[in-house]
Amino acid sequence: MKTMNSFHYLAQLDKRKKADALVIPFWKGKERGEAGISLPPSLTSPLKNILASGDFKGNEGEVCILYLDHEPEKRIVLLGLGDKKKMAAEALRRSYGSLVKNCLGRKLKSLNIVVPDVDESFLRGVVEGFLMANYRVDRYKHPDPEEGGRPSLINEVTWISPHKSMKAVAEKALVLSQAINLARDLTNGNADDITPQYLEACAKEIAKRNPKIKATLFDKKRIIKEKLGLLLAVNRGSSLDPAFIILEYKGNPKSKDKTVLVGKGITYDTGGLNIKVANMEVMKCDMGGAAVCLAVMQAVAQLNLKVNLKVVIPSTENCVDAKSFKPGDVYTSYSGKTVEMMNTDAEGRLILADGLAYAAKNLHPTRLIDIATLTGGIDIALGPEATGMMSSSDQLADAFQKAGDTTGERVWRMPLFEEYRERLKSDIADIKSWNGRSAAPCVAATFMKDFTQEIPWVHFDIASTAYTTEPKKYHPKYASGICVRLIVEFLEHLGDK
Ligand code: BES
Ligand code: ZN
Ligand code: ZN
């Protein structure tokens, strides 16, 4: 995967250079007409006929192509933006996502894009939708000569807009999309490539590129010494060592405020001795939470945000072996609490419990955020339409609800009823790991809450949103990198009241 590397900016159409296509946006219905800047007569007269014919309506994401002589581009692409009255950043993301899908299908590589005349808050939708759609998983596939070789991405864009903040908005979206694509690449990569050791190398690389980030990596010996007992339990079945990664970014050294992100880094989930009977082929995605944490760290540092952020990633495979941890056995966690293992496939909450307890005890968090492909049940409850959110703090949950609305990365709060804790009572240990399928996402979150030391905490279950086998809105199929923009948005507004 190669990311978009060259953006150019123009305030007007006349100085534009050659490109594969010129994109002109249109609103739908009565207000139909070009939504960007005014066009020269060489373009307006051919457009008049098309618009009069009614063949192009300006519906959201609709694309119509004209072939004109004497323009610097071979093609003129009309892009529908939908109803102007219903204008929203998310609708623009979808429209520009649809544009990219169409252009990739035609193997277009360079575009001159007229930007609609909208407020800055909507402007980001245009660039984000464009960039997030401009991604494909092409690492493992040989090019098909009949298809004209390797599918390649759009790699050159000139944004044509008189808007003063166009460049700043676009450059920020570029940083975010590079982080999202890092999360996607890590999640889409072969499980045999993206190992705990690979995540370590990736964390080290991110720290190397930014002097404000410090990386601390615990090897197996240190993990044993620290008594991260649940991470070690899950690691027993794997031929690879576990990893425990800590990244620290000081963007506001004067403040004591610290956000700690904990990400589930299961690089492959077979289920362990409770081996999976279905869907194991998607379980390379089980480090999706860890990937989001690394991506957020990269974006926050590149954007130079004035916040203090730490990332904790417990990582291992969950495999089957003679040494595998066994259902029914009791293990001691980092916190000291003992856990009765009810199902070895409920491994995510175990490594997160150690990660959360370690963070609570040693990293002085003002708030704890964990992000994990945690339960199949969240897909039954919400599907790919929303990320499940559980929180011990109304304030945190409200802030994320807001960030979800702004970014289009929808979250849906689910309960943490007291009764769920009752279900986790064990006769032989301090807590059990699992209690069956009923309310599984909520019970899993309730298990982890026991390890947060009453620090304000929010949990995101991304098992239904991090990886999909169908394309969704402006996300191509497979890893979405969802929650990167959500968490960055939250961090940017931390100081707001
Ligand atoms: N990694 C899975 C959850 C998951 C499901 C991630 C679908 C991505 C897509 C998790 O570790 C798991 O196995 N959960 C099981 C636990 C249960 C069988 C004990 C679940 O929720 O079904
Ligand atoms: Zn599992
Ligand atoms: Zn898992």
Side-chain angles (χ1 to χ4, degrees):
M1 202 276 323
K2 242 169 80 202
T3 26
M4 181 73 236
N5 42 19
S6 105
F7 270 179
H8 309 281
Y9 305 92
L10 279 179
Q12 283 160 18
L13 268 179
D14 50 0
K15 295 213 178 61
R16 71 194 201 274
K17 300 219 172 75
K18 275 193 172 173
D20 291 338
L22 170 68
V23 180
I24 305 176
F26 285 84
W27 300 110
K28 182 189 170 165
K30 271 211 207 94
E31 313 203 46
R32 195 171 66 179
E34 66 266 26
I37 45 191
S38 59
L39 303 173
S42 63
L43 286 170
T44 43
S45 50
L47 286 182
K48 217 185 281 160
N49 293 337
I50 297 235
L51 296 178
S53 76
D55 287 358
F56 173 74
K57 298 192 170 52
N59 286 328
E60 186 187 289
E62 189 182 352
V63 163
C64 173
I65 301 192
L66 316 180
Y67 301 84
L68 299 183
D69 294 328
H70 314 304
E71 296 298 330
E73 305 87 356
K74 262 192 240 148
R75 306 163 189 83
I76 310 297
V77 177
L78 313 189
L79 174 66
L81 303 181
D83 192 341
K84 191 174 185 180
K85 286 192 213 77
K86 293 189 192 148
M87 186 199 313
E90 186 63 356
L92 290 168
R93 280 184 203 102
R94 289 193 300 257
S95 291
Y96 282 81
S98 151
L99 167 75
V100 169
K101 201 170 167 187
N102 204 291
C103 292
L104 289 180
R106 294 165 207 274
K107 301 195 182 298
L108 308 190
K109 292 186 178 55
S110 59
L111 300 179
N112 291 331
I113 303 182
V114 175
V115 177
D117 183 19
V118 293
D119 290 351
E120 190 177 326
S121 60
F122 297 121
L123 217 48
R124 70 178 281 189
V126 171
V127 192
E128 288 181 357
F130 175 90
L131 286 169
M132 282 190 282
N134 194 28
Y135 176 91
R136 290 291 178 272
V137 185
D138 57 10
R139 213 177 332 171
Y140 303 114
K141 198 166 154 68
H142 287 109
D144 179 351
E146 274 188 14
E147 293 250 302
R150 181 163 286 297
S152 64
L153 302 171
I154 300 162
N155 52 32
E156 195 156 357
V157 172
T158 299
W159 298 103
I160 303 170
S161 163
H163 211 296
K164 281 194 197 68
S165 23
M166 186 64 214
K167 184 169 183 198
V169 169
E171 302 288 310
K172 183 172 168 190
L174 196 56
V175 168
L176 287 171
S177 84
Q178 282 162 353
I180 289 165
N181 288 347
L182 166 68
R184 287 170 169 177
D185 281 352
L186 288 170
T187 311
N188 285 326
N190 271 351
D192 274 348
D193 297 331
I194 314 297
T195 59
Q197 288 65 46
Y198 189 94
L199 294 181
E200 281 183 328
C202 180
K204 239 200 242 171
E205 178 63 33
I206 290 170
K208 206 171 97 188
R209 274 189 264 129
N210 194 305
K212 283 192 208 152
I213 303 178
K214 188 181 116 198
T216 310
L217 309 173
F218 291 178
D219 61 5
K220 186 172 182 184
K221 229 170 103 188
R222 177 78 187 268
I223 291 169
I224 293 170
K225 193 170 157 224
E226 296 284 348
K227 301 195 173 137
L228 290 151
L230 300 183
L231 175 59
L232 286 164
V234 178
N235 181 248
R236 289 178 60 98
S238 175
S239 62
L240 302 172
D241 277 2
F244 194 84
I245 300 165
I246 303 168
L247 287 177
E248 302 177 66
Y249 166 81
K250 272 207 185 102
N252 189 1
K254 283 195 201 123
S255 164
K256 284 207 165 120
D257 188 278
K258 270 179 217 81
T259 304
V260 179
L261 284 182
V262 184
K264 173 174 174 181
I266 295 291
T267 57
Y268 196 69
D269 185 10
T270 67
L273 290 182
N274 291 106
I275 194 165
K276 284 187 183 295
V277 291
N279 298 335
M280 206 193 288
E281 70 281 2
V282 304
M283 283 304 146
K284 63 178 174 183
C285 83
D286 217 15
M287 34 54 70
V292 169
C293 291
L294 292 172
V296 168
M297 184 51 100
Q298 173 178 299
V300 163
Q302 255 174 279
L303 295 171
N304 227 340
L305 294 194
K306 306 272 167 286
V307 297
N308 300 316
L309 176 70
K310 300 189 183 189
V311 156
V312 174
I313 296 171
S315 178
T316 173
E317 293 179 327
N318 184 25
C319 286
V320 185
D321 185 85
K323 291 204 183 85
S324 288
F325 76 122
K326 299 172 179 70
D329 274 3
V330 175
Y331 279 83
T332 305
S333 67
Y334 176 81
S335 77
K337 273 191 190 135
T338 56
V339 180
E340 181 183 4
M341 301 301 177
M342 300 303 289
N343 187 320
T344 59
D345 200 7
E347 84 298 337
R349 67 200 68 183
L350 301 176
I351 67 165
L352 288 167
D354 270 1
L356 288 165
Y358 182 90
K361 184 163 176 216
N362 304 291
L363 303 180
H364 317 290
T366 312
R367 63 197 68 79
L368 280 168
I369 302 170
D370 82 70
I371 168 149
T373 47
L374 201 69
T375 66
I378 205 68
D379 187 47
I380 307 293
L382 302 174
E385 276 64 41
T387 289
M389 170 171 76
M390 289 80 165
S391 183
S392 57
S393 151
D394 291 343
Q395 202 194 340
L396 265 182
D398 290 348
F400 271 108
Q401 203 78 55
K402 226 166 147 193
D405 292 342
T406 317
T407 55
E409 300 202 323
R410 207 191 256 146
V411 294
W412 194 261
R413 193 173 181 185
M414 315 251 312
L416 291 166
F417 297 135
E418 268 308 310
E419 288 87 337
Y420 298 143
R421 183 64 185 81
E422 297 293 311
R423 301 195 199 180
L424 292 174
K425 279 197 171 147
S426 162
D427 291 332
I428 59 169
D430 300 332
I431 190 169
K432 339 174 158 169
S433 70
W434 182 70
N435 170 247
R437 289 173 58 195
S438 163
C442 301
V443 178
T446 301
F447 175 89
M448 295 195 300
K449 183 168 175 275
D450 248 45
F451 298 84
T452 58
Q453 313 291 348
E454 312 210 342
I455 291 161
W457 157 77
V458 57
H459 156 65
F460 294 108
D461 192 336
I462 55 168
S464 64
T465 48
Y467 191 91
T468 57
T469 48
E470 291 299 326
K472 282 275 169 266
K473 303 194 288 185
Y474 34 81
H475 293 291
K477 58 173 161 172
Y478 308 122
S480 63
I482 203 119
C483 285
V484 173
R485 287 184 305 118
L486 176 83
I487 296 172
V488 172
E489 181 76 20
F490 166 82
L491 292 170
E492 280 185 300
H493 293 283
L494 256 186
D496 303 359
K497 270 278 130 50

